[in-house]
Amino acid sequence: MTNNTAATRTTATDGGIGNEAEVVSPLRTIARMVARRLARSVVLLFIVSIAAFGLIWLVPGNPASTLAGEFPSQEEIAAVESALGLDAPPHRQYIDWLGSALTGDLGESLRSGRSVSSEITARLPVTLSITFFAVVFALLVAVPVGTLAAVRRGSLSDRLLTVGSTLGVATPSFFVAILLVIFVALNSDFFPATGYVGPSESIYDWVRHNTLPGIALGLALAAELARQIRSALIDVLRSDYVRTARAKGIPERIVLTKHAYKNSALPVVTILGAQIATLVGGTVIIESIFAMPGIGGLAISSVLSQDIPVIQGIVLVVGALVVAVNTLVDISYGFFDPRTRQ
């Protein structure tokens, strides 16, 4: 009797330990996955910092002589060398520059004399706002359109999606932006043709100023995502567990939202993450067309004036932003597909 009771306690205890291990193990797996992704991001950021710092050596000849202007004196060249730290060995220059960058000090502009960090901070919200509206617009269009085409594969709506997505991908964003300005902004009091208002000033005006730029920038992304959603959903809807769910009488809406969407999200999230860099780069033209004071305009003026510290700061900040977004995308794989946690 005593032995049976002890065995029962041991079994219960072992069962409890087993259950606890089953709970802890996935958490540890997720933690290891996140740690691996973060470690990879640190390495990528290090590479981005080297690329940003190395831009100064792309200036032909002596960078200080070129940046000091036409016919500079030795004193002016020496002043530029001192300002950029070019009078130190290259490895010391990089260490000093990286140490300052980690504290938020990206140096001073050679042309305006203002802090590079302050100039980027003032303009970055504009670029991020346009990118945010582009992503929102793309998802609002791509998810229902791609779903409709997948559910009605081979129908007229599916064929229209194929034609429309091809046109959307092939149409340049600047052409769409020009059409929106001519046919929408100039004929409507709601959508301004130029300017920017931040969300801290007015949410209403922030939406008004960013809607058309977001549509122009996000149209190609919406077309690409719609095609990916259609393709992924078609594969998932053919799977055995979807057929089983339908055979049980589960409504089609539940089948899509609970089973199909999650299991078809990986390629869509991958495309979305890969397109972030393209979207940020595309804001250069969109900001010019809508006269918005974003990072794009600052980058163009800095390149034309050979303002190396500003160019370095922009490359570093945008590179870090892209790395951060792709890290979040990698981590999201563990939610959509538990097999990727290993």
Side-chain angles (χ1 to χ4, degrees):
M1 186 72 177
T2 304
N3 293 335
N4 292 337
T5 303
T8 304
R9 290 177 179 175
T10 303
T11 303
T13 303
D14 292 342
I17 294 175
N19 292 336
E20 183 180 357
E22 292 177 0
V23 173
V24 173
S25 181
L27 296 179
R28 290 178 178 175
T29 303
I30 293 174
R32 285 196 298 266
M33 180 194 68
V34 173
R36 287 196 300 268
R37 299 300 191 272
L38 293 179
R40 187 183 305 170
S41 300
V42 172
V43 175
L44 290 175
L45 288 174
F46 176 69
I47 296 174
V48 169
S49 68
I50 294 177
F53 175 77
L55 290 175
I56 194 171
W57 303 108
L58 296 180
V59 177
N62 183 2
S65 301
T66 304
L67 299 175
E70 296 183 4
F71 310 109
S73 63
Q74 291 298 325
E75 291 77 10
E76 292 173 335
I77 295 176
V80 173
E81 288 181 345
S82 177
L84 296 178
L86 298 177
D87 50 355
H91 67 279
R92 173 52 59 184
Q93 295 177 33
Y94 172 73
I95 293 174
D96 293 340
W97 177 81
L98 182 60
S100 299
L102 291 175
T103 62
D105 181 12
L106 297 175
E108 294 182 353
S109 171
L110 297 178
R111 303 305 175 187
S112 65
R114 296 180 56 192
S115 168
V116 175
S117 300
S118 63
E119 291 201 6
I120 293 178
T121 303
R123 293 172 176 262
L124 186 60
V126 180
T127 301
L128 293 181
S129 294
I130 299 175
T131 306
F132 171 76
F133 274 80
V135 172
V136 171
F137 169 76
L139 291 176
L140 290 177
V141 172
V143 173
V145 171
T147 302
L148 179 63
V151 173
R152 301 182 179 179
R153 183 166 61 95
S155 65
L156 177 61
S157 57
D158 186 19
R159 297 190 182 95
L160 290 177
L161 168 67
T162 303
V163 176
S165 61
T166 302
L167 292 176
V169 173
T171 305
S173 59
F174 71 86
F175 181 70
V176 178
I178 293 174
L179 293 180
L180 291 175
V181 170
I182 295 175
F183 294 104
V184 179
L186 297 182
N187 295 291
S188 172
D189 295 331
F190 183 79
F191 297 111
T194 59
Y196 174 79
V197 175
S200 59
E201 301 176 36
S202 172
I203 295 293
Y204 176 75
D205 291 333
W206 179 61
V207 173
R208 290 175 58 237
H209 281 81
N210 285 279
T211 298
L212 293 185
I215 293 175
L217 185 62
L219 181 62
L221 178 61
E224 183 64 30
L225 287 179
R227 295 166 62 177
Q228 292 296 328
I229 291 173
R230 174 191 178 275
S231 178
L233 277 178
I234 288 177
D235 291 338
V236 171
L237 293 176
R238 290 173 176 173
S239 59
D240 293 337
Y241 65 88
V242 171
R243 293 194 188 99
T244 302
R246 287 171 170 169
K248 291 180 178 180
I250 298 177
E252 189 69 16
R253 177 177 59 85
I254 302 299
V255 172
L256 285 173
T257 56
K258 188 176 180 180
H259 300 285
Y261 278 149
K262 183 177 180 180
N263 291 289
S264 62
L266 276 182
V268 178
V269 172
T270 302
I271 293 296
L272 185 60
Q275 290 294 319
I276 291 297
T278 304
L279 291 178
V280 174
T283 58
V284 175
I285 300 177
I286 301 300
E287 289 169 3
S288 300
I289 295 175
F290 289 94
M292 305 179 76
I295 290 291
L298 179 63
I300 292 175
S301 62
S302 300
V303 170
L304 294 177
S305 62
Q306 294 185 334
D307 198 342
I308 296 297
V310 177
I311 300 175
Q312 289 177 322
I314 293 175
V315 171
L316 183 64
V317 171
V318 174
L321 177 65
V322 173
V323 170
V325 171
N326 282 277
T327 301
L328 293 176
V329 170
D330 286 345
I331 293 175
S332 70
Y333 289 167
F335 169 75
F336 293 115
D337 188 353
R339 294 174 297 180
T340 62
R341 300 172 187 173
Q342 301 299 326

